[in-house]
Amino acid sequence: MTSLAVALLPSVAGRVAAEPVFAFDSTPGKLPKTVVPTHYALDLTPDLDKLSFAGSEVVDIEVTEPTAHLVLNAVDMTIDAAAVDDEAGPEITLDAAAQTVTLAFPRPITAGRHKLRLSFTGRINRFGRGLFVVDYPTAEGRKRMISSHLEPADARRIFPSWDEPAFKASVALTVTVPQAFLAVSNMPVTQEESIGDGKKRVAFQPTPRMSSYLFVLAAGDLERTTADVGGITVGVVAARGKSVHGRYALDAAGGLLRYFNDYFGVAYPLPKLDLIAVPGGFGGAMENWGGITFFESRLLFDPATSASDARRGIFSIIAHEMAHQWFGDLVTMAWWDNIWLNEGFASWMQAKAAEALHPEWQTWLNGNGFKQAAMSEDARRTTHPIQQPIANETEAMAAFDSITYAKGQALIRMVENYLGEDAFRAGIRAYMRQHAYSNTTTADLWGALQAASGKPVAAVASAYTEQGGIPLVVAQASCAGDAQRIAIRQERFTIHDPAPQPQRWQVPVARGDVAGTSSETLLLDGVAEIAAGRCGDPVTLNVGDVGYYRVQYDAAMLAALTRSIDRLAPADRANLISDTWALIEAGRYPLAAIFDLLDRSIGDDNRAVVEQIMRPLSRIDHLQWGRPERAAFQAYGRTVLRPLFDRIGWDAVPSEPIDHALLRSRLIGMLGNFGDDEIIAEAKRRFAVFVKDPASLSTELRGTVTSLVGRYADRATYDTLLALGRKTTNTDERVRYYMAAASARDPALAEETLAIALTDELPTSLVGALISQVASQGEHRDLAWSFVKANFAALAAKQGPSFQNNFPANLMTNFTDAAHAAELASFAPAQATSGGRLVAARSYERIMTDADFSAQQLPAVDEWVKRRMARP
Ligand SMILES: [Zn+2]
């Protein structure tokens, strides 16, 4: 697509981004900026049995104004001794609510350099914050390892520190661990010495200047395999015996390192990069500098058990975390109000890198659902700007949401498209060079892109980062003779928010014909009119699905597009379906619009399109829980999906398109959940054979077959699933079997599953997933919610301080009625912190949106289904 720069209207051109560029002194945060750490020499001795650690540190500090008080962060620890230079014995005050420690000295500390010495004792958690243990099964029995997870603000649980991202300092770690352990941190080991009693001390090279949340320590009975990539040692670290499954990750990381070195124009700055597989504690991955941690099954690939397409997910998550080594670690947002700089960019780069290194995956096309997730949040009253004030740690945690990741990703994509690939990359390279080892705000990024491109990036982009919400382009066609003219204007697109604050954007509107060939971009500010071929020609206005906006066509334009959907490119078919469904949710299109599109899309075998066909089907099905009409709706859903499955079949054929394996398992899962008896019976048959002969079931189908069998499990099958889950040492399989068991329809089995959540059978990170899985089965949502309420104190103690802020609010979105929304609003633990209140308000809005949509639209759905199914 080519971009045409169009003159900006003065009102917009004159607007400047409100946010200033980075300046340390004016960066938000709670700690005084008059004392700055430059280096931590840190010594830790964890005790994995007592779940505690002893620590000491010498911190080089620079004092810019004389002060008798040092204020730094510490939480859940005791400070045993403190001194600055020779001045010992300050009064030590820990403030648990502020998560700080204040050292009050009898005399002011003079301006200049000093050494702060602290010794302290802290806690090792069972939940994934600070330093934590994971117990995991092995062939020789259960083993225990430690790992760490610090973002956004948990370095303060490991060492007293200036734990805000703008306070960058180097860290030199020494740790004492059992002799047999492998210890991994940000930097290479410089020295290991045995100290007797089965223990050793391991010292690491000092890191460069970095933000405290990027520190990492992992240690256990681990092994490491490495490869040299242009002088950098890339390693995969995993539990002993499992690093062989890290081969794919190691290869992928090598290719990505070369790609990023080139793209960013600044070589990877550390001597090594480890990818560390942790079998529990947290669910995703964390970009600690030089030592990225991953939930084990997100990193390891076992050809005997993993579906071959699991490689795509592994590649993507490695690409995301490796992009952070530059965008986040080398150059860091100054404060959490700009967390999107980290996450939006890394999310964009994971797709960019996948398109470059694996074009056959069609990552942008297949990632359409990610943008849809952000757009459904962003249409509601409780949305927020990408850049938003962040007052504390709980609010920072709440900011790790789809607006930050997926809207951020979509915005970067749109900006790259507007500037062109080369100018955009030149700007990113300059930004890296200019801000390495330092911090930035969004204004710094726009400044670099503007300088490189000569285009008014900030004026266009700040409307997307500094205000929430989605632009809606409303199109109205008219004829002048044989020529078609399209009048376009913009509004704000909302769902369930009838009187939103009006907003303005500059929207890069890209017009295309049915072949997706001719297109142009214009910046729409207010209204415009464009020529679009001959009268009645179908026209699409977000061609390629690149823009972050929705389009509302007039009835004749929509009808023309619907009639010719099979002639549109896949990205435009997927986008037309998703826009149409969203406009129905917004009350702007009649319900029939989506059903007409679905009917015309039966048999479409593009995976991205099928995903968008499934979205309204799944959502209406979810709203149908407990209604007698659900069976008829599911029968209709089967008529939409079954013809494609009949063509694709159960077993792969050699010549099929590469996406068919994923499509096949999605269709089996969806049809099974929609009550397709034939599919359910065949899944059961295949699973029974698999139990006796695992090789009989292809790795591609294991996930979906196991999950279906779990859903329709009787007692014996349930027991088999749990037995398999308890036996395996493979984390991927373990999750698969437990989650399948947790899907069982039988209420007695669901109760048994919930009981497991109170034991130590699973790591804490999987306990939450287990309960959520039970709750996501509509018939058990009340059971799961009652269980959570009845056991709240026990669960919260086990799951850690984030549990109350997120878990109840997320669980409640399984409900679609006003009474449960009200219950959430008055559930005290969910309302206890400001971050928790944000999450709860979003869930409340979502439940109420579902409740009102159900009341308004389900009767019409029933009517439509009745007529549709009566058709011959
Ligand atoms: Zn990230």
Side-chain angles (χ1 to χ4, degrees), residues 151 285-287 320-321 324 342-344 346-347 350 400 405:
E151 197 182 21
M286 175 62 211
E287 68 264 25
H320 179 106
E321 306 307 330
H324 275 314
N342 275 11
E343 299 306 344
S347 301
Q350 80 184 64
F400 287 81
Y405 281 76

Side-chain angles (χ1 to χ4, degrees), residues 154-431:
D154 285 326
R156 63 192 68 174
R157 294 176 188 275
I158 302 185
F159 56 107
S161 48
W162 279 259
D163 193 16
E164 294 179 358
F167 287 91
K168 288 198 171 191
S170 52
V171 182
L173 171 70
T174 303
V175 64
T176 301
V177 291
Q179 187 79 49
F181 271 23
L182 175 68
V184 186
S185 186
N186 305 84
M187 295 292 284
V189 171
T190 51
Q191 205 191 352
E192 270 201 34
E193 80 178 299
S194 180
I195 54 167
D197 199 19
K199 298 272 173 62
K200 66 179 176 186
R201 276 168 63 78
V202 184
F204 298 88
Q205 274 180 38
T207 68
R209 269 167 61 79
M210 67 174 191
S211 302
S212 50
Y213 77 91
L214 296 170
F215 172 83
V216 67
L217 169 62
D221 184 19
L222 309 175
E223 61 186 16
R224 181 173 187 238
T225 50
T226 61
D228 180 274
V229 182
I232 305 294
T233 306
V234 178
V236 169
V237 176
R240 180 168 304 283
K242 286 187 180 176
S243 69
V244 60
H245 303 319
R247 217 155 266 158
Y248 176 72
L250 199 57
D251 284 350
L256 283 161
L257 188 58
R258 286 183 208 99
Y259 178 75
F260 288 146
N261 276 337
D262 173 60
Y263 189 90
F264 289 117
V266 173
Y268 176 75
L270 307 187
K272 66 94 177 173
L273 173 61
D274 281 311
L275 314 178
I276 308 162
V278 184
F282 66 111
M286 175 62 211
E287 68 264 25
N288 320 296
W289 213 4
I292 305 169
T293 43
F294 297 81
F295 179 57
E296 190 184 272
S297 61
R298 306 296 296 270
L299 182 69
L300 301 186
F301 181 86
D302 178 354
T305 59
S306 311
S308 61
D309 283 311
R311 290 188 185 91
R312 298 191 197 192
I314 293 169
F315 179 93
S316 284
I317 196 166
I318 295 174
H320 179 106
E321 306 307 330
M322 281 182 66
H324 275 314
Q325 304 299 301
W326 285 261
F327 233 94
D329 297 2
L330 180 62
V331 179
T332 312
M333 82 275 130
W335 181 245
W336 304 108
D337 53 355
N338 272 310
I339 182 61
W340 89 278
L341 278 180
N342 275 11
E343 299 306 344
F345 192 90
S347 301
W348 169 80
M349 186 45 110
Q350 80 184 64
K352 173 96 180 161
E355 287 286 0
L357 300 177
H358 288 286
E360 73 280 11
W361 291 344
Q362 299 191 290
T363 301
W364 280 123
L365 173 63
N366 285 310
N368 169 287
F370 196 50
K371 185 172 86 169
Q372 296 307 324
M375 283 188 152
S376 34
E377 291 292 319
D378 207 13
R380 297 199 191 107
R381 192 161 33 210
T382 47
T383 190
H384 60 86
I386 283 179
Q387 291 174 267
Q388 55 176 342
I390 298 288
N392 59 42
E393 303 74 36
T394 63
E395 291 180 18
M397 287 188 128
F400 287 81
D401 65 0
S402 66
I403 299 293
T404 297
Y405 281 76
K407 184 178 181 180
Q409 177 198 53
L411 172 61
I412 299 263
R413 186 183 185 201
M414 201 161 75
V415 170
E416 187 205 25
N417 194 62
Y418 167 59
L419 300 184
E421 268 185 288
D422 292 344
F424 183 84
R425 189 184 51 213
I428 295 298
R429 286 177 173 175
Y431 173 85

Side-chain angles (χ1 to χ4, degrees), residues 509-588:
V509 177
R511 181 187 66 81
D513 62 19
V514 283
T517 45
S518 78
S519 66
E520 58 191 308
T521 302
L522 73 104
L523 294 171
L524 171 75
D525 186 52
V527 296
E529 200 176 87
I530 51 180
R534 288 180 328 196
C535 259
D537 280 354
V539 173
T540 173
L541 287 181
N542 184 5
V543 73
D545 191 22
V546 174
Y548 188 80
Y549 56 90
R550 295 209 182 273
V551 181
Q552 177 176 341
Y553 300 100
D554 70 32
M557 291 180 80
L558 181 62
L561 276 170
T562 301
R563 273 194 308 273
S564 46
I565 187 167
D566 56 341
R567 290 156 60 206
L568 298 179
D572 298 323
R573 303 205 293 277
N575 192 34
L576 181 61
I577 296 170
S578 52
D579 267 359
T580 300
W581 175 237
L583 283 147
I584 289 167
E585 291 186 291
R588 287 171 175 269

